[in-house]
Amino acid sequence: MGDKLAGKVALITGGTNGIGKAAVERFMAEGASGVVFTGNNAEAGGAISAATGAEFIRHAVQDIPGWSAVKEVVKNKFGRLDIAFANAGTNAGDSNIEDVTPEAWQNLIDINLTGPMMTIKAAAELMRGNPEGPGGSIILNSSINGILALAGDVTYSTTKGAMRLLAKSSAVHLAKENTNIRVNTIHPGVIGTPLIEGAINGAPDPSAARSMLEGIAPMGRLGQMEEVVNLLIYLGSDDSRFMTGSELVIDGGSTAGLPGV
């Protein structure tokens, strides 16, 4: 498709479905010399690997000891890392503050916040060892719910909001260390992922459900996965080399104004 990522090596968590899968496919198409992606679904990972040539590792981001094996694969197979996309996340089991269980809260903290923290730590270690000297781009997939909270998803909203400052703190530290390693967050709105499309089609009134979700954005539609991946390509490329500690919203205007006014 192109060469915007020519010669670069990327690590993508949660790469077996949705935006993560789209990123694996597009990064390879844009000339990346290697993509390592992780996830829990070995069957999906194997299929994506066979179709794209990317390297799949079965690993859950909250599995802290397992990060050693991920780093070893990147280091031994490619000898460098240029891009890390912390994409893995969930809202499974979440609820409002009165009903959420401590167990559900902790599980989402582990996946949505400790996972990205471990991704940054692993990526920074690998990027510091690049043959020509330290450098790279780390991207965290937050959400517009990191800016505006959901009453019924207290843990998801909390973790996505915390990712903003996780990225900023990491960005400032790594900049002051003269590493040329950048850390930014993206904040997608409602995107037409298989999960969202499945929820729409499984609703009692799919047409009403689609209309409601499309109406969240003033632009009046769902975002597309390729539009989010276009943003990832920009952040992963040298075109964004002066951007760090930034939060990039891609939501069709959803958070730009007061709804209904």
Side-chain angles (χ1 to χ4, degrees):
M1 179 181 291
D3 61 357
K4 293 179 180 178
L5 300 182
K8 295 186 182 295
V9 174
L11 169 64
I12 298 171
T13 69
T16 60
N17 59 73
I19 293 170
K21 176 177 180 286
V24 171
E25 294 167 343
R26 180 73 181 281
F27 281 21
M28 291 297 290
E30 288 292 347
S33 58
V35 174
V36 176
F37 68 105
T38 68
N40 292 310
N41 189 331
E43 183 178 354
I48 295 166
S49 179
T52 64
E55 184 84 12
F56 173 68
I57 304 173
R58 188 172 186 177
H59 175 248
V61 289
Q62 69 272 30
D63 172 14
I64 294 174
W67 274 101
S68 295
V70 175
K71 289 186 291 183
E72 283 303 308
V73 169
V74 175
K75 187 184 302 182
N76 293 338
K77 188 164 181 108
F78 299 104
R80 64 179 302 113
L81 183 67
D82 302 283
I83 305 165
F85 178 37
N87 173 66
T90 183
N91 71 337
D94 205 4
S95 188
N96 62 69
I97 187 58
E98 292 188 290
D99 295 332
V100 68
T101 67
E103 293 78 16
W105 170 274
Q106 189 60 58
N107 183 54
L108 268 71
I109 292 286
D110 290 345
I111 297 170
N112 292 0
L113 197 52
T114 302
M117 181 272 287
M118 290 301 299
T119 306
I120 296 173
K121 287 176 72 69
E125 178 183 333
L126 291 164
M127 290 172 176
R128 278 181 178 271
N130 283 343
E132 72 282 7
S137 174
I138 302 171
I139 309 158
L140 307 189
N141 191 3
S142 180
S143 168
I144 58 171
N145 300 126
I147 299 169
L148 299 176
L150 286 169
D153 286 287
V154 63
T155 324
Y156 184 82
S157 299
T158 299
T159 56
K160 292 299 185 179
M163 285 171 67
R164 297 168 65 196
L165 293 188
L166 170 62
K168 291 177 188 296
S169 177
S170 303
V172 172
H173 166 73
L174 291 166
K176 286 185 173 182
E177 288 280 301
N178 297 314
T179 64
N180 199 31
I181 298 170
R182 303 178 289 109
V183 190
N184 296 286
T185 54
I186 64 168
H187 297 263
V190 185
I191 308 299
T193 63
L195 183 65
I196 291 294
E197 291 292 345
I200 290 172
N201 294 331
D205 186 341
S207 178
R210 182 174 298 278
S211 179
M212 182 276 290
L213 290 173
E214 289 178 342
I216 291 173
M219 291 184 73
R221 66 174 177 87
L222 304 181
Q224 300 302 309
M225 289 190 292
E226 62 264 30
E227 293 171 321
V228 177
V229 177
N230 285 339
L231 180 56
L232 297 175
I233 297 293
Y234 170 69
L235 288 173
S237 75
D238 295 336
D239 289 344
S240 61
R241 59 188 175 273
F242 196 55
M243 292 188 67
T244 195
S246 298
E247 48 193 66
L248 289 87
V249 178
I250 177 165
D251 69 351
S254 300
T255 58
L258 296 173
V261 177

